[in-house]
Amino acid sequence: MGTNLTIGKAINAGLRAAMEHDPKVLMMGEDVGKLGGVFRVTDGLYKDFGADRVIDTPLAESGIVGTAIGMAMRGYRPVVEIQFDGFFFPAANQTFTQLAKMRRRSAGKLAMPVVMRIPYGGGIGAVEHHSESPEAYFQHTAGLRVVTVANPEDAYWMIQQAIRSDDPVIFLEPKRRYYEKTEVDTGASIDEVTPMGAARIARPGTDCTLLAYGPMVKTALQAAEADTEHSIEVVDVRSLAPIDYPTITESVKRTGRLVVAHEATLTGGPGAEIAARVTEECFYHLESPVIRVAAFDTPYPQSRLEEHYLPDLDRVLDGVDRAFAY
Amino acid sequence: MSDTAAHEEPELIQLLTPEGELTEHPDYPLDITAEEIRALYRDLVLVRRVDSEAITLQRQGELGLWVSLLGQEAAQIGSGRALHEGDMAFPSYREHGVAWCRGIQPKELLSMFRGASNGGWDPHEHGFHLYTIVIGSQALHATGYAMGVQRDGAVGEDGTAVISYFGDGATSQGDTNEAFNFASVNNAPVVFFCQNNQWAISEPLERQSRVPIYKRAAGFGFPGMRVDGNDVLACLAVTRAALDNARTGNGPTLIEAFTYRMGAHTTNDDPTRYRDKGELDEWKAKDPILRVRRYLEANGLADEAFFASIEEEADKVGETVRSQCRNMPDPEPLDIFHEVYAEPNVHIDQQRAEFADYLSSFEGAGAEGGR
Ligand SMILES: Cc1ncc(C[n+]2csc(CCOP(=O)(O)OP(=O)(O)O)c2C)c(N)n1
């Protein structure tokens, strides 16, 4: 059963499917009810499932995550929407000190099936705090699973997989790609589609592996297309915690080169982690050092400069060139 | 859960009725001349014009976003004009009227919403902090600043007062409640000015509070009151009293200005999805500008020529706003690296140098973007 959906609509359809599948699934967040969220990702759910399952919360992120933790203890599966990446930070304490550690702290007696949905990343011309890429903070926190989607098919299935997971899942939604549209096989079975922890070869190639996730996957694919001199393999990482290293290292062993591109800042970013691990595992296969293309170590700039700040097609190609310069 | 206690309209301090009649309030006498009222009228009209121009500019693609103050002019001008020169204001992101009172040029605000700057004015020069987007944060900054004022011994007859602005939604944040508590236990010279415009994007007041917001102050141990937020005179009188209390060492006050956001939350928002049109009509009748005009007219304190001159001035302000916005240059790419650290920083230095090299590699490369 194929349906043409945008990423935003695919997440919406996935949320609906999860709510129909399990009455314990509920939505929480600012404006998720009548408005359907500022990006309309929860559109229609309030109308069809009611105020008890689609909860317009007070304007308090710490409160949202903290009460979701309590709800989870009571057997619910809250899907929390944080309106924008930059507004996750007021909930950092609840996320890092409580949500992430509850299972371990309770010796496995408490499960935390909480999904935190966060529209993230730049490129929409927004004012400050609306374009952050905070994935490394989550990735660095043991106890959290961190995933992000790059196409409608993954959006539809991964949100459902995230909701079924008994672990807390940070579900990062590439907001500048919400309106990208492709075919989704909604008739498949959740047990057969690619699991949310797995990386995916988005485009096969032989000369260099180009790694990206979320909003950068599209840019990476464009770069691979644009580079007519080399055969570039694009890997969509999909899960940032845990990272599917076998898929990545197999690719790098075949191509001999790795370029990692992301919107998060360079220092201590996901690329640093991947580069270190790949260097350890593929040292004798590498023809060049692992190259990172990332945002600069500065605060996200005013929107009139974001085209320079975000790694674009040219910056990614420049990274690829650097890999081939060795 | 529609009409909860949060919506009660008791003890709404009012000096100027929607019909334009001036009344007296025993606790908030206002010594004001006709000239001063005319000046307030001018402020109200001009900031509304700045606002409407900005909305148009956003629609024309000149601004990324605009956050309208429509309907909240009186709350902002009344409270803003109550500030003394040395006082310090900590705004949220909708306080264009207060910015106006503090001498911030509209172009500075536009530049932030255009994405040309992050709000580059000097907070100390203007006694007006940068706009704060993360809801509630600034209430704590204001409180800390007020604690500094205390330690400087700047409390007394000619003391300094601090004011923090936020919305009804912000009262749900931990930060705001922590600010109330810090201010209270420290008896800090700070006024919390909540513009209760009834909506936090799509969420009505009932989703934030089951009690009227001003009543929360009692739980923290300081006075709270609710003022008619569409009455510029009442806002002026009440804020003046609260600021004077703060500056003379009597500690914090919470003012709830009961008002209404007549437009959309921002230019990205569609209020027809969540609120009735009837509500808007009801509030149009309480328009903050209209009532001052009615008062001035009914009492023969301003003639047609006065109103015409203000209109003319508004047209000029509008023109200036438009041309300043359209002619605003984009920042230079290397501006990304400016002002990140006070001290030299090797990461920044290295990345700036690499990026400068990268940019120069495009020079002379033609239209293909360097490849
Ligand atoms: C911490 C945080 N969470 C969410 C947002 C997104 N957001 C921006 S404005 C707003 C509503 C604010 O309502 P209120 O405090 O009543 O102020 P108003 O905009 O009505 O003046 C929300 C949820 C934000 N800016 N900061």
Side-chain angles (χ1 to χ4, degrees):
Chain A
M1 208 177 15
T3 322
N4 232 350
L5 290 176
T6 62
I7 289 186
K9 290 256 164 62
I11 298 171
N12 177 270
L15 291 171
R16 176 176 289 276
M19 291 183 86
E20 278 163 0
H21 170 78
D22 181 352
K24 294 292 187 186
V25 174
L26 38 88
M27 306 289 129
M28 299 171 67
E30 296 156 11
D31 304 293
V32 297
K34 260 193 188 170
L35 186 65
V38 293
F39 289 104
R40 312 283 185 262
V41 174
T42 56
D43 198 17
L45 301 179
Y46 177 84
K47 189 168 120 285
D48 296 341
F49 295 97
D52 267 358
R53 290 188 68 194
V54 183
I55 306 170
D56 265 332
T57 65
L59 208 177
E61 288 75 11
S62 179
I64 294 170
V65 176
T67 55
I69 290 171
M71 289 262 211
M73 287 180 195
R74 185 69 195 180
Y76 286 87
R77 307 185 87 83
V79 181
V80 159
E81 175 173 296
I82 300 294
Q83 201 157 74
F84 275 92
D85 34 52
F87 312 140
F88 149 73
F89 296 98
N93 171 38
Q94 286 291 343
T95 307
F96 296 147
T97 72
Q98 306 301 316
L99 182 66
K101 295 179 167 56
M102 203 63 87
R103 169 173 291 270
R104 168 82 188 163
R105 196 149 69 86
S106 66
K109 301 226 164 38
L110 296 175
M112 281 291 123
V114 175
V115 175
M116 206 187 297
R117 295 182 31 241
I118 310 178
Y120 83 120
I124 62 161
V127 291
E128 56 181 353
H129 312 297
H130 288 73
S131 306
E132 315 269 311
S133 296
E135 53 268 30
Y137 298 104
F138 297 116
Q139 197 184 25
H140 188 65
T141 302
L144 300 178
R145 297 191 62 146
V146 187
V147 300
T148 175
V149 297
N151 59 54
E153 173 86 15
D154 278 351
Y156 179 74
W157 289 111
M158 278 167 75
I159 188 66
Q160 297 182 65
Q161 292 165 334
I163 293 169
R164 289 203 197 177
S165 169
D166 276 336
D167 288 322
V169 180
I170 310 298
F171 191 87
L172 299 167
E173 304 177 1
K175 67 171 90 84
R176 72 170 147 132
R177 306 291 187 214
Y178 267 144
Y179 307 101
E180 308 274 318
K181 197 174 197 174
T182 49
E183 186 96 337
V184 177
D185 181 7
T186 53
S189 147
I190 193 168
D191 303 316
E192 285 163 12
V193 296
T194 316
M196 71 171 177
R200 177 178 73 94
I201 311 282
R203 180 189 197 271
T206 53
D207 301 341
C208 175
T209 300
L210 176 55
L211 240 158
Y213 55 82
M216 286 299 294
V217 172
K218 182 176 180 181
T219 315
L221 287 168
Q222 287 168 340
E225 205 64 42
D227 186 343
T228 46
E229 278 168 56
H230 309 106
S231 162
I232 311 284
E233 174 148 308
V234 175
V235 177
D236 174 1
V237 185
R238 294 169 93 245
S239 174
L240 291 169
I243 293 178
D244 174 12
Y245 282 114
T247 302
I248 295 171
T249 52
E250 272 164 37
S251 170
V252 174
K253 283 176 183 169
R254 271 188 278 111
T255 65
R257 288 185 171 80
L258 176 62
V259 176
V260 188
H262 57 61
E263 288 188 21
T265 51
L266 183 78
T267 300
E273 168 57 36
I274 293 169
R277 180 64 176 259
V278 167
T279 306
E280 263 182 58
E281 293 199 10
C282 308
F283 189 70
Y284 292 106
H285 295 85
L286 284 169
E287 309 273 343
S288 78
V290 179
I291 302 289
R292 288 174 293 157
V293 182
F296 308 115
D297 290 338
T298 67
Y300 197 91
Q302 56 271 47
S303 60
R304 293 259 157 179
L305 288 176
E306 68 181 347
E307 58 168 317
H308 297 288
Y309 180 82
L310 293 173
D312 62 357
L313 179 60
D314 281 322
R315 288 252 302 280
V316 174
L317 286 170
D318 182 65
V320 171
D321 283 351
R322 279 191 280 143
F324 281 107
Y326 287 85
Chain B
M1 274 202 289
S2 63
D3 40 11
T4 61
H7 259 132
E8 286 170 17
E9 276 199 47
E11 303 141 51
L12 198 63
I13 300 161
Q14 191 179 67
L15 297 184
L16 193 59
T17 67
E19 294 72 38
E21 277 160 37
L22 194 59
T23 56
E24 292 220 348
H25 194 285
D27 302 331
Y28 301 98
L30 186 66
D31 196 6
I32 192 162
T33 63
E35 169 128 26
E36 286 167 323
I37 298 181
R38 282 193 297 269
L40 291 170
Y41 177 82
R42 173 179 172 271
D43 285 336
L44 294 170
V45 171
L46 297 188
V47 299
R48 181 170 286 186
R49 180 60 70 95
V50 170
D51 190 70
S52 61
E53 289 297 340
I55 291 172
T56 309
L57 285 163
Q58 195 279 337
R59 300 226 166 97
Q60 294 168 348
E62 295 287 342
L63 298 177
L65 181 82
W66 184 252
V67 186
S68 171
L69 64 35
L70 187 67
Q72 300 179 219
E73 296 88 348
Q76 297 191 14
I77 297 297
S79 61
R81 287 296 177 211
L83 291 163
H84 291 183
E85 194 178 325
D87 291 347
M88 184 73 185
F90 287 82
S92 176
Y93 44 73
R94 202 188 290 283
E95 275 68 74
H96 320 315
V98 186
W100 173 266
C101 296
R102 303 307 277 166
I104 307 279
Q105 296 287 317
K107 72 166 187 235
E108 308 264 24
L109 308 176
L110 296 178
S111 123
M112 175 181 179
F113 289 103
R114 185 179 169 87
S117 78
N118 280 333
W121 61 87
D122 180 348
H124 288 297
E125 185 193 330
H126 293 278
F128 189 75
H129 185 64
L130 303 170
Y131 275 3
T132 300
I133 305 269
V134 182
I135 303 284
S137 305
Q138 76 279 11
L140 280 167
H141 308 158
T143 302
Y145 189 94
M147 290 161 63
V149 167
Q150 261 177 334
R151 276 151 189 75
D152 291 343
V155 177
E157 269 316 307
D158 291 318
T160 298
V162 181
I163 190 165
S164 172
Y165 290 89
F166 46 82
D168 43 301
T171 65
S172 293
Q173 285 286 352
D175 275 8
T176 309
N177 289 277
E178 291 176 29
F180 290 171
N181 201 34
F182 271 67
S184 181
V185 300
N186 289 292
N187 202 43
V190 59
V191 174
F192 297 110
F193 194 95
C194 175
Q195 288 172 79
N196 176 359
N197 66 9
Q198 325 262 343
W199 292 91
I201 311 188
S202 75
E203 297 198 21
L205 185 56
E206 300 84 61
R207 295 308 301 160
Q208 309 298 338
S209 188
R210 291 299 295 259
V211 295
I213 285 168
Y214 77 99
K215 283 194 178 168
R216 293 211 194 159
F220 288 95
F222 55 87
M225 66 276 291
R226 181 182 268 179
V227 58
D228 181 340
N230 285 22
D231 173 352
V232 70
L233 299 184
C235 289
L236 177 65
V238 169
T239 312
R240 224 178 234 171
L243 287 167
D244 283 343
N245 245 339
R247 80 176 83 254
T248 51
N250 293 318
T253 303
L254 171 62
I255 298 172
E256 177 189 355
F258 201 71
T259 180
Y260 190 74
R261 185 194 88 209
M262 282 162 68
H265 170 70
T266 68
T267 43
N268 278 344
D269 177 44
D270 173 13
T272 62
R273 288 180 74 105
Y274 55 80
R275 70 182 189 189
D276 294 341
K277 183 162 175 308
E279 197 179 285
L280 179 60
D281 292 339
E282 189 188 313
W283 279 89
K284 272 189 183 152
K286 302 181 193 168
D287 189 291
I289 299 186
L290 208 54
R291 72 175 72 180
V292 183
R293 183 172 180 132
R294 284 183 177 140
Y295 168 76
L296 291 172
E297 281 175 344
N299 294 278
L301 298 172
D303 54 14
E304 267 316 308
F306 168 78
F307 293 114
S309 76
I310 301 288
E311 262 329 290
E312 206 176 300
E313 198 180 350
D315 289 343
K316 284 209 188 93
V317 167
E319 252 167 61
T320 311
V321 165
R322 283 196 302 274
S323 69
Q324 284 179 334
C325 184
R326 295 209 173 102
N327 297 325
M328 202 176 292
D330 277 354
E332 292 298 322
L334 291 180
D335 183 75
I336 288 172
F337 302 95
H338 293 174
E339 313 299 351
V340 181
Y341 297 98
E343 307 284 334
N345 182 289
V346 288
H347 287 176
I348 298 290
D349 292 347
Q350 188 181 4
Q351 290 176 28
R352 185 201 289 116
E354 283 169 4
F355 189 50
D357 266 1
Y358 170 78
L359 288 174
S360 63
S361 73
F362 288 94
E363 273 158 29
E368 278 166 280
R371 285 188 72 88

